[in-house]
């Protein structure tokens, strides 16, 4: 659940120049009043990143149906967007809760009334840990779980909290070689679970981890590495269940937006009346035209009609033509993601980009658009380009507000909403 009134109140916020690319005509108006003027994309300054309403709705529906058919709970990773308006849509579509990555993100989610939260991280910051403990004491209807990957983590949590009224549920995180966090063996993870069971401050909630750290492609070797890791997660859970360490229904959690099909393949067998598998996929809500467009199991070439589609685009304007086959755009690293691939030209001046047109580099505020074989006068200064973007997790954090268009393929898309982000 989420506080729908708090989410809707975002439309009462007043617009101003602190919102990048929002036009001066909107300054001083509330979001609600500005939307009533029927703005279009042409009213916005460049650069700008937009969301596509059609594909947002479709992506949320596709993932919700897919997880339900697989018998899995869905707790989308909210840190991807940090947008309560989108969280509300995901929860409305049937998601069990929202996954987050930091204690502060949890506090923000609680401010918007999110009641079921999975913190996919250790929580040993004293200020935040005590705050969350007090919040749980005050709200019986709130579900919260965090992670631990070492006996030291459990000891620190216990030291901070002492004896509590409501112990904090903790998942044992299993990692993998050269991965990120997580106990590096099943035996070590079992020692962590034993420490949790012995603590007066926390209680054992389940097991989990992040398989996406172990591969970066869908080659046979990459898929085998993910499968082997997920089998270890299942074995860890089976061992803890056999030892009787769970006090209630257990959670087994994995699943980013690259290998959720393998999570279903390897972990569906653990689902029963005492165990729920929770997928934490987050990027699916907007998908992309780069990394996830290639690696996701839910693209058209792998699943057919019910597939994910990119719901985000970058728009930038040519500001310089210093060389015959080079155009400089007014957007750079401060505007568009670049950690999982550079933006890709899709439409230039309202026409499909030609073969060979590409972005070769990004500076802080400029993009280098290479236009081989195209005359300078065919892409003059002032031309607007639509770009495909890669990796939503580093797209949203550059924008405090993103316009939502009705159809990014239209000649002049209508703005149908403005989505606030909190980073």
């Amino acid at each position: 659940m989420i506080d729908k009134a708090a989410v809707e109140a975002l439309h009462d916020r007043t617009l101003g120049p602190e919102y990048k690319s929002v036009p001066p005509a909107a300054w001083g108006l509330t979001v609600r009043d500005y939307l009533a003027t029927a703005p279009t994309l042409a009213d916005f300054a460049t650069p700008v990143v937009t969301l596509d309403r059609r594909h947002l709705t479709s992506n949320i529906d596709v993932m919700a149906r897919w997880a339900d058919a697989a018998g899995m709970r869905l707790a989308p990773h909210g840190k991807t967007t940090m947008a309560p308006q989108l969280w509300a849509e995901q929860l409305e579509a049937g998601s069990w809760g929202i996954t987050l990555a930091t204690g502060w993100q949890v506090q923000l989610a609680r401010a918007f009334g999110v009641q079921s939260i999975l913190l996919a991280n250790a929580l040993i910051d004293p200020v935040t840990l005590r705050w969350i403990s007090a919040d749980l004491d005050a709200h019986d209807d709130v579900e919260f779980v965090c992670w631990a990957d070492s006996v030291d983590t459990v000891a620190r949590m216990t030291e901070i909290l002492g004896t509590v009224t409501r112990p904090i549920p903790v998942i044992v995180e299993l990692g993998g070689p050269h991965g990120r966090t997580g106990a590096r063996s099943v035996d070590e993870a079992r020692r962590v679970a034993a420490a949790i069971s012995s603590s007066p401050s926390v209680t054992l909630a389940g097991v989990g981890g992040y398989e996406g750290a172990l591969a970066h492609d869908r080659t046979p070797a990459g898929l085998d590495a993910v499968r082997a890791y997920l089998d270890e997660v299942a074995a860890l859970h089976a061992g803890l269940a056999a030892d009787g360490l769970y006090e209630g229904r257990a959670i087994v959690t994995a699943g980013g937006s690259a290998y959720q099909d393998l999570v279903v393949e390897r972990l569906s067998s653990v689902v029963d009346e005492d165990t729920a598998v929770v997928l934490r996929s987050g990027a699916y809500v907007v998908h992309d035209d780069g990394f996830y467009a290639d690696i996701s199991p839910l693209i058209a070439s792998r699943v057919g009609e019910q597939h994910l589609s990119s719901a985000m685009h970058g728009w930038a304007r040519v500001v310089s033509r210093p060389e015959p086959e080079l155009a400089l755009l007014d957007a750079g690293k401060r505007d568009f993601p670049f950690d999982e691939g550079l933006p890709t030209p899709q439409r230039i001046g309202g026409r499909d980009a030609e073969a060979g047109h590409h972005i070769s580099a990004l500076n802080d505020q400029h993009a280098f658009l290479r236009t081989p074989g195209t005359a300078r006068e065919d892409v003059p200064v002032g031309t607007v380009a639509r770009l495909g973007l890669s990796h939503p997790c580093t797209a949203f954090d550059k924008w405090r507000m993103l316009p939502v268009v009705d159809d990014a393929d239209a000649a002049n898309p209508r703005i149908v909403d403005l989505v606030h982000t909190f980073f």
Side-chain angles (χ1 to χ4, degrees):
M1 292 181 62
I2 194 168
D3 186 340
K4 294 181 180 179
V7 173
E8 183 59 27
L10 292 173
H11 287 96
D12 296 321
R13 292 197 169 194
T14 300
L15 299 171
E18 67 270 24
Y19 294 109
K20 186 165 60 173
S21 300
V22 170
W27 299 351
L29 299 178
T30 65
V31 171
R32 193 184 317 279
D33 288 342
Y34 180 61
L35 291 174
T37 68
T40 67
L41 184 59
D43 296 321
F44 276 65
T46 54
V48 66
V49 169
T50 62
L51 306 177
D52 188 304
R53 180 70 268 170
R54 294 175 307 148
H55 295 311
L56 281 174
T57 300
S58 175
N59 290 345
I60 291 170
D61 180 68
V62 165
M63 190 63 190
R65 290 175 181 271
W66 187 86
D68 184 64
M72 306 284 169
R73 286 184 177 183
L74 183 60
H77 213 321
K79 60 95 177 171
T80 299
T81 65
M82 287 306 294
Q85 289 159 272
L86 298 182
W87 299 349
E89 293 186 40
Q90 293 169 300
L91 291 166
E92 183 69 22
S95 292
W96 163 76
I98 296 295
T99 296
L100 295 161
T102 71
W104 168 78
Q105 291 174 3
V106 173
Q107 291 172 327
L108 177 78
R110 289 292 299 124
F112 279 92
V114 178
Q115 289 186 289
S116 297
I117 296 172
L118 194 162
L119 175 63
N121 209 341
L123 182 59
I124 57 170
D125 170 68
V127 174
T128 311
L129 183 55
R130 292 186 183 115
W131 182 91
I132 288 176
S133 180
D135 188 62
L136 292 176
D137 285 344
H139 299 94
D140 292 337
D141 56 349
V142 172
E143 296 180 88
F144 173 82
V145 61
C146 62
W147 291 10
D149 69 352
S150 71
V151 172
D152 289 344
T153 300
V154 179
R156 182 64 180 138
M157 293 182 73
T158 303
E159 178 186 349
I160 293 168
L161 293 172
T163 302
V164 295
T165 303
R166 184 178 172 186
I168 290 181
V170 177
I171 282 174
V172 178
E173 181 191 2
L174 182 66
H178 313 296
R180 202 162 57 190
T181 53
R184 289 303 196 253
S185 70
V186 170
D187 287 343
E188 176 60 24
R190 294 186 72 161
R191 285 191 285 272
V192 178
I196 293 171
S197 296
S198 300
S199 170
S201 309
V202 297
T203 185
L204 184 63
V207 303
Y210 177 52
E211 75 288 348
L214 304 179
H216 211 65
D217 53 41
R218 294 189 77 88
T219 61
L223 298 180
D224 285 346
V226 171
R227 288 189 176 100
Y229 167 74
L230 292 171
D231 288 345
E232 285 202 320
V233 171
L236 172 61
H237 165 67
L240 300 183
D243 291 343
L245 295 183
Y246 296 128
E247 295 184 9
R249 193 177 192 204
I251 291 174
V252 177
T253 178
S257 295
Y259 304 109
Q260 62 266 51
D261 57 329
L262 300 187
V263 174
V264 172
E265 174 189 306
R266 311 312 280 193
L267 296 183
S268 59
S269 62
V270 310
V271 177
D272 56 31
E273 62 181 11
D274 296 318
T275 307
V277 174
V278 177
L279 295 168
R280 304 191 311 276
S281 309
Y284 77 88
V285 65
V286 293
H287 197 51
D288 71 7
D289 283 305
F291 178 71
Y292 288 110
D294 178 63
I295 202 172
S296 169
L298 298 182
I299 60 176
S301 63
R302 296 189 175 109
V303 295
E305 185 176 349
Q306 295 297 313
H307 63 271
L308 301 178
S309 302
S310 180
M312 66 174 181
H313 300 92
W315 306 79
R317 195 179 307 270
V318 176
V319 294
S320 177
R321 291 300 316 265
E323 299 172 12
E325 296 185 342
L326 172 64
L328 276 299
L329 307 181
D330 61 352
K333 294 179 180 179
R334 303 298 179 90
D335 311 298
F336 299 154
F338 58 93
D339 62 316
E340 291 286 1
L342 294 170
T344 55
Q346 294 178 333
R347 297 181 66 81
I348 299 175
R351 303 183 303 274
D352 289 344
E354 296 182 14
H357 287 189
H358 66 283
I359 302 294
S360 62
L362 292 180
N363 291 160
D364 277 359
Q365 310 290 177
H366 291 95
F368 290 71
L369 172 61
R370 303 293 175 174
T371 60
T374 301
R376 189 185 257 122
E377 57 268 22
D378 291 335
V379 185
V381 168
T383 301
V384 174
R386 190 186 84 185
L387 306 174
L389 305 178
S390 180
H391 201 200
C393 293
T394 52
F396 278 74
D397 64 357
K398 301 174 186 350
W399 296 85
R400 298 179 64 183
M401 179 182 287
L402 296 98
V404 181
V405 300
D406 61 340
D407 181 358
D409 292 329
N412 186 18
R414 293 186 302 113
I415 305 298
V416 296
D417 203 358
L418 297 174
V419 167
H420 292 262
T421 68
F422 295 82
F423 285 95

